[in-house]
Amino acid sequence: MAKSDWWKKSVVYQVYPRSYQDSNNDGIGDLPGLTSRLEYIKKLGADVIWLNPIYKSPDKDNGYDISDYRNIQDAYGTMSDFDEMLKKAHSLGLKIMMDLVVNHTSDQHKWFQESKKSKDNPYRDYYIWRDPVDGHEPNNWGSYFNGSTWKFDETTGQYYLHLFAEGQPDLNWENPKVRDEVWSVMKFWLDKGVDGFRMDVINLISKPAGLPDGPKADDERYADVGKAVADGHRLNEFLQEMNQKVLSKYDVMTVGEMPDSTPQDAIEYTGLDSNELNMVFQFDHVNLSPNKDIRLGKWNDEPVKLVELKKSLSKWENELDGKGWNSLYWNNHDQPRAVSRFATDDPKYRVRAAKMLGTTLQMMQGTPYVYEGEELGMTNVHYTKLSQYEDLESLNAYKEFVDDEEIVDKDSMLSYLADRTRDNARTPMQWDDSENAGFTKGKPWFELNPNYTEINAKASLDDKDSVFYYYQKLIDLRHHSDLIVYGNYEVLDIDDKEVFAYKRHYKGQTLLVISNFTDKELSRDYGQNDGELLIGNYNDDKETNLRAYESKVYLIR
Ligand code: TEU
Ligand code: CA
């Protein structure tokens, strides 16, 4: 089938359905709620919606533990609600990209329920079972969600592998029957007319032969499982089989979520002749400023240094140019809110800073992703008590590092959680200033960020200087510019600690992008006097003068 590259020209809007819009007042966002908000997403100008998992699930990890791939979670509605949502999206010209979570299932999935019954059950080999070694776990891998990746099961006296939570056993991709099951699930949704997949941790599906121990420091309890498993020796083969058996038959968009992948890996999967995926989500820039104590990993509260951020993003821009394709994101349902993390949520600068970040990212080469609420400049929620958290990653980390191992004190850990928790992204969408921000008339499943009275969609839509309309303009610029879509990338003054500036070049034209990441007034000259201002977050242009969080884009002919 002849493929077009519409996904290179598209902007994706991510919807976390649980927190988007409740339609029946049970406090949980749902599909009819989303359907009622599609015009809003269309108005922003997005082309594609990435929908986080909506399948049947015990919800240990908010839908990333699936117990039935072909049915809708009751709280989200019915299959006919889904069909209606898809139909309306298509009628508005919006595409729907589904989340495909097939590194693991829920432990409540029928396959796992069978698998654990006996060693000779026909489904035994759908998962990864091993005998104990010297009475303990088969190897030293540590789960992404803390503790060992192995869980002992009394019934058969073996351990099963789970890279994430205990309730998320890993599928055995070595088994061709498992792969056929996955292809069949994919076809089920593609034949309904969905427009693509975001593939959850797809670079973890091929485990190393023999499942050997991973490298670890003496004071570490477990080895980093990402380093031990990511980009395994059969990954290319599995992805090519997926392409040949499924994807090649449809004109769809695919993005592989790939913790621990390098640009070289990404080129292999998304390269022009790879026949695997369109693009990957890499993690380098969201993994910056980890704790100095490696045992604590991402748990820290130090801001990212601009020079490191520039180096990280520039590396991906440069290395993939002409060879692969980037996805561009500041945040998603696993990350803190962009404006709080990479700029400031100080009310004095928040709007300016949110627009500055939008400019910096969306003018790069790649497909931009906007996470729900980013277009309003929604902020972190700044929790101070453990009881306010919901996400199992945060709760497990606190338990392991504060209660069990006592390697960090309570106050520091609470500060780290506030800075980095996934819950920052998961507070409900802020629609207006009525009770619960118009998200629900019932009791919300998760406390709202109290700043919804100020920061909400209604206020944004009523204000022509809002972050929303600025994002709308950024998206519109991309839709009308091959320079923005295809141009190559040149970072300027990479060691400048205050300004992120770069150029894009295409067919003799140059785009110049300048962003002041500080609250100070600065002076910089990149030749902007010769350019035509396309967009900026102040109402006038002072050329070489850069005001607090000022960002502007010039076209130089
Ligand atoms: O996330 C993959 C992943 O690597 C996360 O563990 C991520 O590193 C972490 O959230 C950041 O601290 C995907 C999904 O996006 C996430 O929501 C799921 O929990 C996870 O896979 C398991 O399915
Ligand atoms: Ca609901």
Side-chain angles (χ1 to χ4, degrees):
M1 168 175 217
K3 296 285 179 86
S4 60
D5 65 353
W6 56 266
W7 43 269
K8 286 191 178 171
K9 300 176 196 154
S10 296
V11 174
V12 182
Y13 184 85
Q14 181 188 348
V15 170
Y16 196 66
R18 204 175 172 77
S19 293
Y20 204 57
Q21 176 69 66
D22 180 19
S23 72
N24 60 352
N25 302 325
D26 64 353
I28 303 174
D30 47 48
L31 287 166
L34 168 58
T35 305
S36 73
R37 294 297 185 179
L38 290 171
E39 278 96 352
Y40 168 84
I41 300 170
K42 182 69 189 173
K43 186 175 173 112
L44 183 66
D47 308 279
V48 180
I49 294 173
W50 156 25
L51 190 57
N52 284 105
I54 46 140
Y55 318 95
K56 281 247 181 328
S57 162
D59 263 345
K60 296 253 169 54
D61 185 21
N62 286 6
Y64 282 92
D65 47 327
I66 298 171
S67 52
D68 180 353
Y69 289 99
R70 289 180 172 81
N71 275 301
I72 306 289
Q73 178 80 328
D74 289 335
Y76 295 150
T78 61
M79 192 58 92
S80 81
D81 292 329
F82 178 85
D83 293 339
E84 220 162 283
M85 187 279 295
L86 185 65
K87 193 163 150 226
K88 180 163 169 198
H90 284 167
S91 77
L92 291 169
L94 287 165
K95 295 181 191 289
I96 300 290
M97 180 164 73
M98 304 293 282
D99 219 306
L100 182 73
V101 188
V102 289
N103 173 69
H104 44 267
T105 68
S106 161
D107 60 355
Q108 302 305 309
H109 195 288
K110 181 186 93 201
W111 302 335
F112 190 75
Q113 291 295 311
E114 285 297 316
S115 186
K116 68 179 210 183
K117 281 186 182 158
S118 67
K119 286 186 181 171
D120 56 9
N121 186 283
Y123 288 90
R124 185 66 171 182
D125 230 15
Y126 271 46
Y127 295 85
I128 302 171
W129 294 95
R130 289 292 182 275
D131 286 326
V133 173
D134 302 330
H136 53 78
E137 291 87 2
N139 70 21
N140 69 357
W141 297 350
S143 149
Y144 278 95
F145 293 154
N146 298 86
S148 167
T149 57
W150 296 97
K151 169 81 179 163
F152 188 70
D153 191 62
E154 301 283 347
T155 320
T156 53
Q158 285 193 317
Y159 286 89
Y160 70 84
L161 180 72
H162 62 90
L163 301 193
F164 293 89
E166 278 176 27
Q168 294 169 302
D170 280 53
L171 282 165
N172 176 19
W173 276 69
E174 304 288 324
N175 181 350
K177 282 195 207 140
V178 166
R179 303 203 293 278
D180 285 340
E181 298 271 15
V182 172
W183 313 153
S184 147
V185 165
M186 292 174 78
K187 283 185 206 148
F188 173 85
W189 290 98
L190 290 168
D191 290 338
K192 270 191 171 290
V194 308
D195 305 284
F197 292 110
R198 173 269 188 189
M199 303 182 188
D200 193 59
V201 291
I202 201 71
N203 68 331
L204 303 179
I205 58 177
S206 162
K207 285 23 177 204
L211 311 181
D213 278 348
K216 76 172 188 68
D218 284 344
D219 61 346
E220 279 185 297
R221 221 163 119 196
Y222 300 105
D224 179 333
V225 74
K227 303 231 156 42
V229 173
D231 308 292
H233 63 297
R234 296 190 70 188
L235 181 59
N236 281 305
E237 180 196 332
F238 293 158
L239 291 176
Q240 274 162 22
E241 185 179 322
M242 176 195 281
N243 197 289
Q244 187 212 328
K245 298 213 165 140
V246 186
L247 296 173
S248 58
K249 305 188 164 83
Y250 304 83
D251 184 13
V252 294
M253 166 172 173
T254 54
V255 51
E257 191 210 23
M258 305 219 174
D260 286 297
S261 279
T262 63
Q264 273 319 307
D265 298 322
I267 290 167
E268 275 185 46
Y269 315 132
T270 71
L272 304 174
D273 331 296
S274 83
N275 281 326
E276 292 177 24
L277 303 172
N278 296 146
M279 62 190 101
V280 308
F281 283 128
Q282 55 91 8
F283 279 66
D284 283 350
H285 66 299
V286 291
N287 286 344
L288 292 171
S289 77
N291 203 292
K292 282 186 196 72
D293 180 342
I294 55 167
R295 296 173 298 177
L296 292 169
K298 78 175 210 178
W299 299 108
N300 198 15
D301 55 8
E302 271 164 46
V304 172
K305 295 193 180 66
L306 182 62
V307 172
E308 287 179 19
L309 181 66
K310 284 158 62 171
K311 285 189 174 154
S312 170
L313 291 170
S314 300
K315 177 177 89 177
W316 282 84
E317 286 289 289
N318 290 329
E319 295 200 24
L320 264 54
D321 180 48
K323 300 195 183 120
W325 193 251
N326 273 298
S327 27
L328 307 170
Y329 73 99
W330 283 132
N331 48 193
N332 59 38
H333 65 292
D334 291 335
Q335 301 294 336
R337 291 275 171 187
V339 73
S340 305
R341 183 179 203 177
F342 295 106
T344 178
D345 55 24
D346 177 343
K348 193 163 161 215
Y349 300 115
R350 181 189 62 86
V351 168
R352 206 81 79 185
K355 293 175 182 173
M356 181 279 287
L357 288 175
T359 317
T360 310
L361 196 78
Q362 293 213 21
M363 294 297 108
M364 289 185 182
Q365 189 193 69
T367 298
Y369 288 71
V370 178
Y371 180 63
E372 62 178 45
E374 178 187 336
E375 77 282 10
L376 309 175
M378 272 177 65
T379 70
N380 280 354
V381 57
H382 304 297
Y383 287 145
T384 51
K385 296 194 291 275
L386 190 65
S387 58
Q388 292 172 301
Y389 291 89
E390 177 72 34
D391 175 36
L392 89 171
E393 184 194 39
S394 301
L395 297 170
N396 288 1
Y398 186 94
K399 182 173 178 302
E400 177 165 333
F401 300 134
V402 179
D403 297 341
D404 298 349
E405 298 179 5
E406 301 182 7
I407 57 177
V408 63
D409 65 274
K410 181 170 174 267
D411 289 343
S412 305
M413 191 64 196
L414 283 175
S415 172
Y416 302 160
L417 288 183
D419 208 65
R420 298 287 155 90
T421 181
R422 309 198 294 183
D423 281 335
N424 277 319
R426 299 176 178 187
T427 60
M429 178 72 176
Q430 298 167 197
W431 292 106
D432 58 40
D433 63 3
S434 69
E435 204 185 343
N436 297 323
F439 164 69
T440 183
K441 292 204 174 67
K443 182 178 165 1
W445 75 276
F446 194 30
E447 198 182 318
L448 279 98
N449 188 322
N451 66 18
Y452 72 80
T453 50
E454 305 286 312
I455 306 173
N456 61 65
K458 182 166 184 301
S460 277
L461 293 172
D462 288 345
D463 171 9
K464 67 176 184 11
D465 283 329
S466 67
V467 182
F468 182 93
Y469 290 119
Y470 191 87
Y471 266 61
Q472 188 185 53
K473 192 166 171 197
L474 285 173
I475 295 171
D476 189 61
L477 280 172
R478 171 172 289 263
H479 283 154
H480 294 98
S481 166
D482 282 350
L483 170 58
I484 296 174
V485 176
Y486 298 109
N488 65 13
Y489 171 95
E490 177 198 359
V491 67
L492 305 172
D493 297 340
I494 196 149
D495 294 316
D496 187 327
K497 294 190 182 68
E498 298 168 317
V499 179
F500 196 156
Y502 61 86
K503 286 180 173 171
R504 306 280 310 280
H505 305 281
Y506 189 70
K507 296 195 172 160
Q509 292 200 329
T510 294
L511 192 78
L512 171 63
V513 181
I514 305 168
S515 295
N516 179 357
F517 268 69
T518 75
D519 59 6
K520 295 195 287 280
E521 196 154 323
L522 306 170
S523 170
R524 297 286 189 280
D525 187 354
Y526 308 99
Q528 56 264 51
N529 291 359
D530 302 328
E532 171 200 337
L533 186 72
L534 294 183
I535 186 170
N537 62 355
Y538 278 76
N539 287 330
D540 58 349
D541 182 15
K542 297 246 194 298
E543 298 181 333
T544 55
N545 185 17
L546 306 179
R547 289 157 285 187
Y549 297 102
E550 182 159 9
S551 186
K552 40 196 188 178
V553 181
Y554 297 87
L555 178 66
I556 301 171
R557 286 175 215 275

